[in-house]
Amino acid sequence: MAVEPGVRVGQDSDASVIERSWDEPETFALLFDRHADSVHRYAARRLGAEAAEDVMAETFTTAFQQRFRYRTEASDARPWLFGIATNLIGRHRRAEARRLKTLGRLPPAAPGGAAEETVADRVAARVSAQAVSGELAGALARLPARHRDVLLLVAWADLGYEEVADALGVPVGTVRSRLHRARRKLREALGGSDPTALREESDDE
């Protein structure tokens, strides 16, 4: 049985928690407990730890205020929450670009063992924060914001195409198109390697 991230077997779905919070506002804290860490990690990778605190807090404040508009047929609230977080990150585009460009000027890591894999290998395993350095950071900084949003929601928030579409309020075809273009630009910038190695999903997934 598939269980959404952050939810244990036997627990209410995110949608049930949100619906209960309509009459019992304190219940919304369960959603924070489940997903605050992942939202914070996503924001920190994009903006740095200090700004991530503000983005995470504002994400859940906004979600609480908008909880009556939540579509309860969506049992997993992650696309909704990451969509809010991405919109908030959009207010910090310049800060994100500066951060990526700064990381892009860092010297490459010294070669070593498995703990010091190449950037491409690290991203293929779902881009870690440490992987965002060197040429990859510079390439990400040069992506159009709408393409970077799609790429990083898949790579860092670990959302599927349908979930990214829900998060951004765009058709799935647009997600696929933007992701394809983002990956092509990264390959061109990184000498032909594909540092994302994102899973391909069939249309019925």
Side-chain angles (χ1 to χ4, degrees):
M1 178 179 66
V3 179
E4 65 196 60
V7 180
R8 296 177 181 175
V9 174
Q11 284 186 330
D12 289 342
S13 68
D14 290 342
S16 296
V17 170
I18 294 169
E19 190 169 8
R20 282 171 52 202
S21 78
W22 296 348
D23 295 318
E24 303 171 21
E26 66 278 6
T27 304
F28 198 83
L30 292 173
L31 204 70
F32 181 90
D33 292 340
R34 290 176 182 178
H35 301 299
D37 286 346
S38 59
V39 170
H40 184 275
R41 282 194 299 271
Y42 171 70
R45 288 170 175 175
R46 298 194 62 166
L47 298 176
E50 185 174 349
E53 291 289 340
D54 292 337
V55 168
M56 185 261 290
E58 193 169 354
T59 294
F60 283 91
T61 298
T62 301
F64 180 78
Q65 293 169 344
Q66 297 181 357
R67 69 191 188 280
F68 296 102
R69 295 161 51 187
Y70 186 78
R71 296 181 297 106
T72 54
E73 63 268 24
S75 62
D76 184 357
R78 289 183 311 131
W80 181 56
L81 293 171
F82 280 113
I84 294 171
T86 299
N87 286 336
L88 294 171
I89 288 169
R91 301 177 185 175
H92 302 271
R93 293 295 185 200
R94 292 182 181 178
E96 181 180 32
R98 283 197 302 271
R99 171 177 161 79
L100 289 170
K101 288 175 182 176
T102 298
L103 290 172
R105 291 192 291 269
L106 294 176
E116 297 178 344
E117 297 168 294
T118 66
V119 167
D121 289 339
R122 298 283 288 180
V123 180
R126 286 289 187 273
V127 197
S128 72
Q130 290 75 22
V132 188
S133 58
E135 292 178 323
L136 176 57
L140 288 173
R142 291 190 293 273
L143 288 177
R146 63 187 183 279
H147 294 169
R148 187 163 63 239
D149 285 344
V150 168
L151 177 71
L152 298 184
L153 280 169
V154 175
W156 288 350
D158 201 24
L159 299 184
Y161 297 173
E162 291 275 0
E163 292 173 319
V164 174
D166 286 344
L168 298 180
V170 298
V172 174
T174 299
V175 170
R176 293 181 181 276
S177 174
R178 291 179 183 177
L179 182 60
H180 174 76
R181 292 173 184 171
R183 294 181 68 184
R184 187 186 68 223
K185 288 181 181 295
L186 289 187
R187 282 195 298 269
E188 291 171 355
L190 300 176
S193 64
D194 181 358
T196 56
L198 304 173
R199 68 182 183 277
E200 295 297 337
E201 301 185 28
S202 62
D203 291 337
D204 59 354
E205 285 183 323

